[in-house]
Amino acid sequence: MGHGVSQFTEQELQDYQDLTFFTKKEILYAHQKFKALAPEKVGHNRNAKLPMSKVLQYPELRVNPFGERICRVFSSSRDGDCTFEDFLDMMSVFSDAAPKAVKAEHAFRIFDFDGDDMLGLQDLRQVVDLLTKPQRLSDQDMQHLLQNILDEADLDDDGALSFAEFEHIVDKSPDFANVFCIRL
């Protein structure tokens, strides 16, 4: 701020503020960060859509094993490409100001690879694979770990985790909100 003219009207900034967990100043800062990912593409085009490969250059996403999945979940087109509004939504959910319940809902969506509103064995296997990359667990260790997860969290014994069961785990995890965080 103070440098040049904002690309956003006061009303647009107010709308973004109402829809996110950010102040107007943080929204403008988020736009600077978005623009820095591809200045040639964003420039003065507020409606620019960046390919996932560009969005994944954001430092915290580049090192996050779920970076691609995060982009897909927050992409309005579900292909991983992001508009500024997609990026702003993503950063807002990952901000310190976002409530734990909002973070839990999005974490569940990120882990639900097949989109069936349950974290089944395949989803959990993919989560563990991403977390243990590049060292993969042996089949026996994977089976043991998945069984332990289900024994601990699958309260209705249906072989998968519902959102309510996942939320129960999150509620018992004091560090979840701090770990599910990306700083602008």
Side-chain angles (χ1 to χ4, degrees):
M1 300 186 16
H3 298 46
V5 178
S6 170
Q7 288 190 28
F8 304 104
T9 66
E10 193 60 36
Q11 184 59 52
E12 288 169 324
L13 285 174
Q14 185 61 53
D15 291 345
Y16 285 146
Q17 186 174 357
D18 292 344
L19 294 170
T20 66
F21 302 104
F22 287 140
T23 64
K24 291 176 186 177
K25 185 177 180 178
E26 290 169 324
I27 292 162
L28 291 171
Y29 187 66
H31 189 260
Q32 285 179 342
K33 292 293 196 173
F34 182 73
K35 188 176 179 177
L37 293 172
E40 73 291 346
K41 185 155 181 142
V42 177
H44 292 290
N45 179 5
R46 291 186 1 212
N47 300 316
K49 188 175 200 178
L50 298 186
M52 181 170 33
S53 60
K54 288 284 189 187
V55 179
L56 287 172
Q57 290 176 13
Y58 195 79
E60 286 84 349
L61 291 174
R62 185 177 24 216
V63 298
N64 189 317
F66 296 96
E68 284 188 25
R69 185 72 189 137
I70 291 168
C71 288
R72 288 189 194 287
V73 165
F74 283 93
S75 169
S76 52
S77 55
R78 300 289 179 241
D79 59 3
D81 296 353
C82 289
T83 64
F84 172 64
E85 289 182 0
D86 297 336
F87 182 79
L88 186 63
D89 188 32
M90 177 193 317
M91 291 297 122
S92 177
V93 167
F94 279 97
S95 74
D96 288 331
K100 194 175 190 179
V102 171
K103 290 177 178 288
E105 178 187 336
H106 285 81
F108 185 84
R109 288 178 52 211
I110 290 165
F111 297 160
D112 183 15
F113 287 87
D114 59 14
D116 67 352
D117 294 327
M118 297 290 283
L119 300 184
L121 281 174
Q122 259 325 104
D123 295 317
L124 295 172
R125 183 180 306 276
Q126 284 182 268
V127 168
V128 172
D129 275 344
L130 286 172
L131 289 172
T132 59
K133 216 177 191 178
Q135 287 87 7
R136 299 264 184 224
L137 294 180
S138 69
D139 287 340
Q140 183 178 356
D141 287 344
M142 177 66 81
Q143 284 303 116
H144 184 69
L145 178 58
L146 294 177
Q147 191 58 54
N148 284 343
I149 292 170
L150 291 176
D151 288 347
E152 177 74 24
D154 183 16
L155 303 177
D156 62 6
D157 291 325
D158 66 351
L161 302 182
S162 66
F163 176 68
E165 291 166 326
F166 180 78
E167 199 170 29
H168 182 71
I169 296 167
V170 167
D171 285 341
K172 295 186 336 184
S173 174
D175 287 345
F176 173 76
N178 297 329
V179 172
F180 199 80
C181 196
I182 295 176
R183 305 238 188 294
L184 270 177

